[in-house]
Amino acid sequence: MEAYLEQFYKGLAEWKGSLVKVEHLKQPNAKEYLNRLARAGTVKRVIWGWYWIPDKLKNFWDFLKKDNNFKIVAGQTAASFWNNDFIHRDIYLVKVKDPSYGRALKAFAETRGWNIVIEHVREDEIYTKVDGIYVENLEDCVIECMQNWAFTDAFAVV
């Protein structure tokens, strides 16, 4: 690998284990360098304009902690989080602000075998940061579970 690509890759250290958009990197030639790193197999291209900077991931929760983009765990997934996984779901509900990031996250999750549902954050959304992950507040979580007829999840949280 050329020296300039190695230097560029070292500059991506803060994005390890995260999805990165070309526009996030305010460096000249970032698009070209990411494309070359992807062809070399150093980074992974997710969708147009989005790349994953590889790092060891144990599971979906580990990814949520390492990823630098804004997302909120919501609904029944948040209920599982609040009640210490009393009721386990194989579908993860995540709310995002950036629709482009939502598409990239969905595509990345599919490559990992994670079943994920993406929704968009409301302006008045209230959330709490717990152990490096933004989680929908308890009250909103219960309300959303009740609206989705997930009564067992709602009662398990309460």
Side-chain angles (χ1 to χ4, degrees), residues 92-150:
Y92 303 103
L93 177 61
V94 178
K95 293 183 179 181
V96 298
K97 283 185 180 178
D98 181 7
S100 174
Y101 172 65
R103 288 188 298 275
L105 180 57
K106 180 88 171 156
F108 178 71
E110 287 174 1
T111 65
R112 292 288 179 161
W114 301 328
N115 195 357
I116 190 169
V117 175
I118 302 293
E119 291 183 0
H120 296 284
V121 177
R122 295 185 324 262
E123 289 297 319
D124 61 341
E125 192 82 36
I126 300 172
Y127 51 87
T128 306
K129 189 171 186 175
V130 180
D131 196 25
I133 300 173
Y134 291 108
V135 182
E136 186 176 47
N137 273 6
L138 194 61
E139 297 83 14
D140 291 337
C141 172
V142 170
I143 291 169
E144 191 165 337
C145 285
M146 296 297 275
Q147 288 174 338
N148 293 327
W149 293 80

Side-chain angles (χ1 to χ4, degrees), residues 12-43:
L12 297 175
E14 69 181 89
W15 292 96
K16 271 201 178 274
S18 182
L19 295 176
V20 63
K21 189 175 187 177
V22 173
E23 296 167 2
H24 291 157
L25 306 173
K26 299 182 184 342
Q27 298 175 359
N29 303 322
K31 182 178 181 180
E32 177 186 344
Y33 293 171
L34 282 170
N35 190 27
R36 287 185 183 198
L37 288 171
R39 279 190 268 140
T42 309
V43 301

Side-chain angles (χ1 to χ4, degrees), residues 72-92:
I72 301 171
V73 175
Q76 290 169 287
T77 308
S80 293
F81 186 87
W82 285 121
N83 65 35
N84 296 316
D85 208 22
F86 175 69
I87 296 170
H88 182 72
R89 302 279 184 231
D90 290 331
I91 298 174
Y92 303 103

